[in-house]
Amino acid sequence: MTDAHDTAADSALRTTGGAPPDDDGSSATEAPIPLLEPREGIPPVITDDAALAEVIAAFAAGTGPVAVDAERASGYRYGQRAYLVQLRREGAGSALIDPVACPDLSGLSEALSGVEWVLHAATQDLPCLREIGMLPTRLFDTELAGRLAGFPRVGLGAMVENVLGFVLEKGHSAVDWSTRPLPEPWLRYAALDVELLVDLRDALEKELDRQGKLEWAWQEFDAIASAPPPEPRKDPWRRTSGMHKVRRRRQMAVVRELWQTRDRIAQRRDISPGKVLSDAAIVEAALALPADAPALAALNGFGPRAGRRQLEQWQAAVDRARALSEAQLPQPGQPVTGPPPPRAWADKDPVAAARLSAARAGVSALAERLNMPQENLITPDTVRRVCWEPPQPAGPESVAAALAGYGARPWQVEQVTPVLVAALASDGSDGSDGSDGSDGSEVV
């Protein structure tokens, strides 16, 4: 361990760059130290079962939490699979594993069962880790910890700099991690991503404890670790960028056909859908409803580089949409299972709008007092649901039960229940229509 790493292990929580200050209001001002090399050098990439078995044994024999990270090839490849997995644990050092060459890491996951995994923005990496057999039973999310502690910037680089006083190498986060062999600078960057993750975890644990939020954080981490895989998104084509321009059902059908055709091609070629056909091109074709391939070729995104065969397959998708009966056309919007958009509340139910206005103000004030983002205090959807159909009678016990039913953690229920009980008593007698004069785009 170098002197710099000794400093990282022993230093108190730094507060540069707008981090939560110490109780006396002071903050550290020392210049951050560049972290240029992993302390034991760049580890070799694990690409076979024998080397993987050695890593599994080493990490099983290690001590303390294990830092875990994964690199994907978003924007280059289809899906969100992992193309590199990085780990670090006391007594085992760091490891870089190629999940393309070693696609089953369930043995590693079993060896680390019961061990706390430290991840940054865990919900981003857990889906691709799950695909290769890795799933934690306990975790600590340093990004979420930073949010709860009130840090204004919670990216890994900003957190390492503000909390530990080191500058991580930047510039390789958005590269094509499916590249083989991976260049040495990329591997150095990947190894450094887990180099100080446990140090960061330890410092954040102390800060959360100092603020009285550590138990809250553990409840959040447990909820992430125990959450089931998300359900497949219904009608994903509706999320096409620029979809708000498409008004007619026939045009929506064109978007659907082109999106589904693009998705099949992208999956077959293992390439990002955006590299097959842009969202902007899909929307333009939907608005134009071209009658033939030459008309399609005149639109932005389809020519002149698009070949004849490509144009024909896109035009075929447009023609399928044009041939659908009225009954086969998609409906303008997805079925709404929850409350209407907040901007419509004042017209539909002014009393509910007044409740929502009071709830938003109360949650905002509470989040400011607790020094955390409103969405981490309670989800906006939960607030809307409780305000639209409040329990009867709307007392502390019934409101607490409603919050828990919508998935709020115990600490959130305890903090938010008094605010919502007061808000649900609002009937607009102050003259407010509940709209706050806004467009309905506020956080809660």
Side-chain angles (χ1 to χ4, degrees):
M1 183 181 290
T2 65
D3 291 341
H5 291 101
D6 283 328
T7 303
D10 298 337
S11 65
L13 174 70
R14 290 170 56 95
T15 56
T16 58
D22 294 331
D23 289 330
D24 62 2
S26 64
S27 62
T29 57
E30 297 88 349
I33 303 169
L35 194 62
L36 303 177
E37 289 288 339
R39 64 192 79 175
E40 297 99 8
I42 303 173
V45 179
I46 304 303
T47 58
D48 59 66
D49 291 341
L52 178 60
E54 293 181 6
V55 166
I56 292 174
F59 275 79
T63 59
V66 57
V68 181
D69 191 21
E71 304 295 347
R72 300 178 297 278
S74 303
Y76 297 94
R77 296 288 183 175
Y78 184 86
Q80 294 295 316
R81 68 176 295 186
Y83 284 95
L84 187 70
V85 175
Q86 309 101 280
L87 304 100
R88 182 171 183 83
R89 192 181 189 195
E90 184 69 28
S94 295
L96 302 177
I97 303 175
D98 181 355
V100 177
C102 302
D104 182 5
L105 298 186
S106 58
L108 176 60
S109 185
E110 291 171 7
L112 297 173
S113 179
V115 175
E116 179 190 304
W117 295 21
V118 184
L119 299 100
H120 193 81
T123 54
Q124 294 183 21
D125 285 340
L126 288 179
C128 70
L129 291 172
R130 183 182 285 111
E131 288 181 358
I132 53 179
M134 294 187 67
L135 194 63
T137 53
R138 297 172 52 212
L139 67 82
F140 189 107
D141 186 334
T142 49
E143 185 205 45
L144 181 52
R147 292 181 183 278
L148 296 175
F151 285 81
R153 298 169 59 221
V154 294
L156 180 58
M159 293 294 290
V160 167
E161 180 176 341
N162 295 339
V163 176
L164 300 177
F166 289 88
V167 178
L168 290 176
E169 183 181 352
K170 300 177 182 177
H172 300 305
S173 60
V175 299
D176 181 2
W177 287 96
S178 68
T179 301
R180 294 297 183 271
L182 286 165
E184 182 176 297
W186 299 10
L187 297 175
R188 180 181 297 106
Y189 164 91
L192 289 173
D193 264 4
V194 291
E195 183 78 3
L196 295 179
L197 205 50
V198 173
D199 298 285
L200 179 61
R201 170 242 182 268
D202 292 344
L204 289 172
E205 181 182 46
K206 291 178 182 178
E207 176 64 12
L208 288 167
D209 190 39
R210 185 185 74 84
Q211 295 186 24
K213 300 175 181 176
L214 185 56
E215 174 56 30
W216 302 357
W218 284 121
Q219 290 180 28
E220 292 298 304
F221 302 156
D222 289 344
I224 294 173
S226 61
E231 294 289 333
R233 190 181 297 277
K234 180 178 174 60
D235 291 345
W237 58 270
R238 291 184 184 272
R239 294 177 62 85
T240 302
S241 179
M243 190 69 190
H244 63 282
K245 302 176 185 176
V246 181
R247 303 292 187 182
R248 293 159 50 193
R249 293 173 63 200
R250 184 74 57 185
Q251 295 171 333
M252 292 179 184
V254 172
V255 172
R256 181 176 63 185
E257 290 293 334
L258 285 172
W259 190 98
Q260 292 175 345
T261 301
R262 179 184 70 173
D263 194 65
R264 288 192 296 269
I265 295 170
Q267 187 171 16
R268 184 177 71 247
R269 294 171 55 190
D270 189 18
I271 189 173
S272 171
K275 289 186 175 297
V276 176
L277 186 68
S278 70
D279 281 9
I282 289 178
V283 170
E284 182 149 351
L287 296 177
L289 289 172
D292 51 35
L296 182 66
L299 302 178
N300 289 331
F302 291 95
R305 291 186 297 175
R308 176 183 171 184
R309 183 176 177 183
Q310 288 179 308
L311 282 173
E312 288 177 350
Q313 69 184 359
W314 300 131
Q315 185 61 42
V318 174
D319 292 342
R320 287 194 298 272
R322 293 170 64 97
L324 294 175
S325 67
E326 284 293 319
Q328 294 173 310
L329 297 177
Q331 294 302 315
Q334 294 173 294
V336 177
T337 57
R343 60 180 174 272
W345 284 34
D347 292 332
K348 292 179 177 292
D349 189 338
V351 175
R355 292 194 295 260
L356 181 61
S357 177
R360 284 171 163 165
V363 168
S364 177
L366 178 58
E368 186 173 351
R369 289 198 301 273
L370 295 175
N371 192 25
M372 68 173 63
Q374 294 181 41
E375 62 269 22
N376 291 116
L377 174 58
I378 192 69
T379 66
D381 182 67
T382 296
V383 174
R384 288 193 290 267
R385 288 175 184 270
V386 171
C387 288
W388 184 251
E389 295 184 353
Q392 298 296 331
E397 290 186 3
S398 62
V399 170
L403 288 172
Y406 289 127
R409 265 69 72 191
W411 76 270
Q412 294 175 312
V413 173
E414 180 182 6
Q415 293 295 320
V416 175
T417 293
V419 172
L420 291 190
V421 169
L424 294 178
S426 175
D427 59 2
S429 58
D430 61 354
S432 169
D433 65 358
S435 67
D436 293 335
S438 70
D439 62 359
S441 62
E442 51 268 83
V443 173
V444 176

